[in-house]
Amino acid sequence: MYTEFFINTHSEEEIIDLTDEVEEIVKKSGKKDGIVHIYVPHATAGIILNESADPNIKTDFLKALEKIVPKHAGYLHDRIDGNGAAHIKSSIVGSSITLPLKDGKLIIGTWQSIMFCEFDGPRRNRKIIVQII
Ligand code: ZN
């Protein structure tokens, strides 16, 4: 079963919790067992699993990535559209996660949330694809 939905981002860099949206899609699907694949088809965004309860973790994560991949550090791609760092961060973070589905329930850690990472916002209509296999 294939589903997609869209979100708008509001900052240059932002982490947005998508757990409720994904759990709702899983619930509506009626599927009981399998694999839930969540994929972000964007070259300057990504998706992670981590804690959402403490919002400081999102800030810490973005700050840590900034230290590894500072903006405008001489990237060749910056000559085209100025977002070389965002492309590298997207590659480091990755574009998909896969979670088990058991007895109709998404298996995810108590302190894990599914979170979209914006690295070149703000943007409209960032697409998230959820496929249950
Ligand atoms: Zn670019």
Side-chain angles (χ1 to χ4, degrees):
M1 197 211 74
Y2 177 98
T3 308
E4 56 188 42
F5 65 99
F6 298 86
I7 59 168
N8 296 330
T9 62
H10 303 93
S11 307
E12 184 181 10
E13 294 197 332
E14 188 176 359
I15 296 181
I16 299 170
D17 191 338
L18 303 175
T19 312
D20 289 347
E21 286 88 341
V22 174
E23 284 185 332
E24 190 61 32
I25 287 167
V26 169
K27 195 174 154 190
K28 278 187 183 161
S29 78
K31 304 282 184 201
K32 297 296 176 204
D33 292 280
I35 288 171
V36 180
H37 187 243
I38 304 124
Y39 170 60
V40 170
H42 298 289
T44 56
I47 193 159
I48 57 169
L49 280 176
N50 215 305
E51 182 180 329
S52 179
D54 177 6
N56 290 319
I57 292 173
K58 297 174 189 171
T59 306
D60 289 342
F61 185 64
L62 290 174
K63 278 187 177 173
L65 275 178
E66 183 63 28
K67 283 182 192 164
I68 301 166
V69 189
K71 287 184 191 83
H72 310 300
Y75 309 113
L76 299 176
H77 181 73
D78 281 352
R79 295 178 200 163
I80 296 172
D81 61 1
N83 62 1
H87 286 281
I88 295 168
K89 289 174 183 174
S90 170
S91 295
I92 290 172
V93 164
S95 299
S96 68
I97 57 173
T98 304
L99 292 170
L101 174 64
K102 188 174 184 293
D103 301 326
K105 216 172 156 7
L106 196 63
I107 305 298
I108 187 168
T110 305
W111 296 104
Q112 284 183 317
S113 294
I114 301 160
M115 298 196 286
F116 179 89
C117 301
E118 175 63 81
F119 298 121
D120 192 32
R123 300 256 190 152
R124 295 189 57 76
N125 296 321
R126 287 295 210 180
K127 185 189 280 187
I128 295 104
I129 294 167
V130 179
Q131 189 158 28
I132 304 171
I133 301 158

PDB file of all heavy atoms in Angstrom, residues 17 50-58 111 113 115:
ATOM      1  N   ASP A  17       8.311  16.420  13.686  1.00  0.00           N
ATOM      2  CA  ASP A  17       7.864  15.089  14.106  1.00  0.00           C
ATOM      3  C   ASP A  17       6.688  14.634  13.225  1.00  0.00           C
ATOM      4  O   ASP A  17       5.661  15.321  13.153  1.00  0.00           O
ATOM      5  CB  ASP A  17       7.432  15.150  15.575  1.00  0.00           C
ATOM      6  CG  ASP A  17       7.201  13.770  16.175  1.00  0.00           C
ATOM      7  OD1 ASP A  17       6.955  12.811  15.417  1.00  0.00           O
ATOM      8  OD2 ASP A  17       7.260  13.663  17.415  1.00  0.00           O
ATOM      9  N   ASN A  50      14.549   9.679  16.251  1.00  0.00           N
ATOM     10  CA  ASN A  50      15.182  10.117  17.500  1.00  0.00           C
ATOM     11  C   ASN A  50      14.141  10.697  18.433  1.00  0.00           C
ATOM     12  O   ASN A  50      12.946  10.715  18.109  1.00  0.00           O
ATOM     13  CB  ASN A  50      16.316  11.113  17.249  1.00  0.00           C
ATOM     14  CG  ASN A  50      17.444  10.912  18.258  1.00  0.00           C
ATOM     15  OD1 ASN A  50      17.216  10.942  19.456  1.00  0.00           O
ATOM     16  ND2 ASN A  50      18.637  10.684  17.768  1.00  0.00           N
ATOM     17  N   GLU A  51      14.587  11.166  19.575  1.00  0.00           N
ATOM     18  CA  GLU A  51      13.648  11.659  20.583  1.00  0.00           C
ATOM     19  C   GLU A  51      13.090  13.020  20.203  1.00  0.00           C
ATOM     20  O   GLU A  51      13.836  13.919  19.808  1.00  0.00           O
ATOM     21  CB  GLU A  51      14.346  11.748  21.947  1.00  0.00           C
ATOM     22  CG  GLU A  51      13.385  12.214  23.032  1.00  0.00           C
ATOM     23  CD  GLU A  51      14.037  12.319  24.396  1.00  0.00           C
ATOM     24  OE1 GLU A  51      14.962  11.542  24.684  1.00  0.00           O
ATOM     25  OE2 GLU A  51      13.610  13.197  25.166  1.00  0.00           O
ATOM     26  N   SER A  52      11.767  13.133  20.350  1.00  0.00           N
ATOM     27  CA  SER A  52      11.078  14.382  20.055  1.00  0.00           C
ATOM     28  C   SER A  52      10.610  15.059  21.347  1.00  0.00           C
ATOM     29  O   SER A  52      10.363  16.267  21.362  1.00  0.00           O
ATOM     30  CB  SER A  52       9.884  14.081  19.145  1.00  0.00           C
ATOM     31  OG  SER A  52       9.180  15.240  18.848  1.00  0.00           O
ATOM     32  N   ALA A  53      10.495  14.285  22.433  1.00  0.00           N
ATOM     33  CA  ALA A  53       9.932  14.808  23.691  1.00  0.00           C
ATOM     34  C   ALA A  53      10.726  16.013  24.191  1.00  0.00           C
ATOM     35  O   ALA A  53      10.136  16.995  24.650  1.00  0.00           O
ATOM     36  CB  ALA A  53       9.901  13.709  24.748  1.00  0.00           C
ATOM     37  N   ASP A  54      12.042  15.933  24.116  1.00  0.00           N
ATOM     38  CA  ASP A  54      12.862  17.088  24.483  1.00  0.00           C
ATOM     39  C   ASP A  54      13.263  17.814  23.201  1.00  0.00           C
ATOM     40  O   ASP A  54      14.111  17.337  22.450  1.00  0.00           O
ATOM     41  CB  ASP A  54      14.114  16.642  25.245  1.00  0.00           C
ATOM     42  CG  ASP A  54      15.009  17.829  25.578  1.00  0.00           C
ATOM     43  OD1 ASP A  54      14.605  18.993  25.316  1.00  0.00           O
ATOM     44  OD2 ASP A  54      16.121  17.601  26.090  1.00  0.00           O
ATOM     45  N   PRO A  55      12.666  18.983  22.938  1.00  0.00           N
ATOM     46  CA  PRO A  55      12.969  19.700  21.685  1.00  0.00           C
ATOM     47  C   PRO A  55      14.437  20.114  21.560  1.00  0.00           C
ATOM     48  O   PRO A  55      14.911  20.403  20.464  1.00  0.00           O
ATOM     49  CB  PRO A  55      12.046  20.920  21.744  1.00  0.00           C
ATOM     50  CG  PRO A  55      11.601  21.035  23.155  1.00  0.00           C
ATOM     51  CD  PRO A  55      11.695  19.676  23.776  1.00  0.00           C
ATOM     52  N   ASN A  56      15.155  20.136  22.685  1.00  0.00           N
ATOM     53  CA  ASN A  56      16.580  20.488  22.633  1.00  0.00           C
ATOM     54  C   ASN A  56      17.378  19.514  21.782  1.00  0.00           C
ATOM     55  O   ASN A  56      18.409  19.884  21.217  1.00  0.00           O
ATOM     56  CB  ASN A  56      17.174  20.520  24.053  1.00  0.00           C
ATOM     57  CG  ASN A  56      16.647  21.692  24.848  1.00  0.00           C
ATOM     58  OD1 ASN A  56      16.506  22.792  24.322  1.00  0.00           O
ATOM     59  ND2 ASN A  56      16.335  21.450  26.105  1.00  0.00           N
ATOM     60  N   ILE A  57      16.914  18.260  21.698  1.00  0.00           N
ATOM     61  CA  ILE A  57      17.650  17.260  20.912  1.00  0.00           C
ATOM     62  C   ILE A  57      17.656  17.667  19.435  1.00  0.00           C
ATOM     63  O   ILE A  57      18.664  17.533  18.751  1.00  0.00           O
ATOM     64  CB  ILE A  57      17.056  15.853  21.120  1.00  0.00           C
ATOM     65  CG1 ILE A  57      17.328  15.422  22.566  1.00  0.00           C
ATOM     66  CG2 ILE A  57      17.634  14.847  20.126  1.00  0.00           C
ATOM     67  CD1 ILE A  57      16.669  14.139  22.976  1.00  0.00           C
ATOM     68  N   LYS A  58      16.533  18.208  18.960  1.00  0.00           N
ATOM     69  CA  LYS A  58      16.468  18.671  17.566  1.00  0.00           C
ATOM     70  C   LYS A  58      17.493  19.790  17.347  1.00  0.00           C
ATOM     71  O   LYS A  58      18.229  19.793  16.362  1.00  0.00           O
ATOM     72  CB  LYS A  58      15.056  19.185  17.241  1.00  0.00           C
ATOM     73  CG  LYS A  58      13.981  18.126  17.344  1.00  0.00           C
ATOM     74  CD  LYS A  58      12.608  18.758  17.149  1.00  0.00           C
ATOM     75  CE  LYS A  58      11.524  17.760  17.478  1.00  0.00           C
ATOM     76  NZ  LYS A  58      10.194  18.364  17.513  1.00  0.00           N
ATOM     77  N   TRP A 111      11.199   6.211  23.135  1.00  0.00           N
ATOM     78  CA  TRP A 111      11.778   7.549  22.994  1.00  0.00           C
ATOM     79  C   TRP A 111      12.169   7.846  21.554  1.00  0.00           C
ATOM     80  O   TRP A 111      12.918   8.787  21.290  1.00  0.00           O
ATOM     81  CB  TRP A 111      12.978   7.708  23.934  1.00  0.00           C
ATOM     82  CG  TRP A 111      12.515   7.612  25.340  1.00  0.00           C
ATOM     83  CD1 TRP A 111      12.665   6.542  26.185  1.00  0.00           C
ATOM     84  CD2 TRP A 111      11.754   8.588  26.069  1.00  0.00           C
ATOM     85  NE1 TRP A 111      12.063   6.801  27.384  1.00  0.00           N
ATOM     86  CE2 TRP A 111      11.500   8.052  27.349  1.00  0.00           C
ATOM     87  CE3 TRP A 111      11.263   9.860  25.757  1.00  0.00           C
ATOM     88  CZ2 TRP A 111      10.775   8.754  28.311  1.00  0.00           C
ATOM     89  CZ3 TRP A 111      10.546  10.553  26.724  1.00  0.00           C
ATOM     90  CH2 TRP A 111      10.310  10.002  27.984  1.00  0.00           C
ATOM     91  N   SER A 113      10.986   8.949  17.699  1.00  0.00           N
ATOM     92  CA  SER A 113       9.969   9.560  16.853  1.00  0.00           C
ATOM     93  C   SER A 113      10.502   9.593  15.428  1.00  0.00           C
ATOM     94  O   SER A 113      11.716   9.619  15.212  1.00  0.00           O
ATOM     95  CB  SER A 113       9.678  10.995  17.306  1.00  0.00           C
ATOM     96  OG  SER A 113       9.084  10.995  18.578  1.00  0.00           O
ATOM     97  N   MET A 115      11.167  11.670  12.342  1.00  0.00           N
ATOM     98  CA  MET A 115      11.298  13.115  12.184  1.00  0.00           C
ATOM     99  C   MET A 115      11.890  13.520  10.834  1.00  0.00           C
ATOM    100  O   MET A 115      12.948  13.037  10.422  1.00  0.00           O
ATOM    101  CB  MET A 115      12.140  13.667  13.326  1.00  0.00           C
ATOM    102  CG  MET A 115      11.468  13.415  14.676  1.00  0.00           C
ATOM    103  SD  MET A 115      12.129  14.409  16.006  1.00  0.00           S
ATOM    104  CE  MET A 115      13.679  13.604  16.296  1.00  0.00           C
TER     105      MET A 115
END
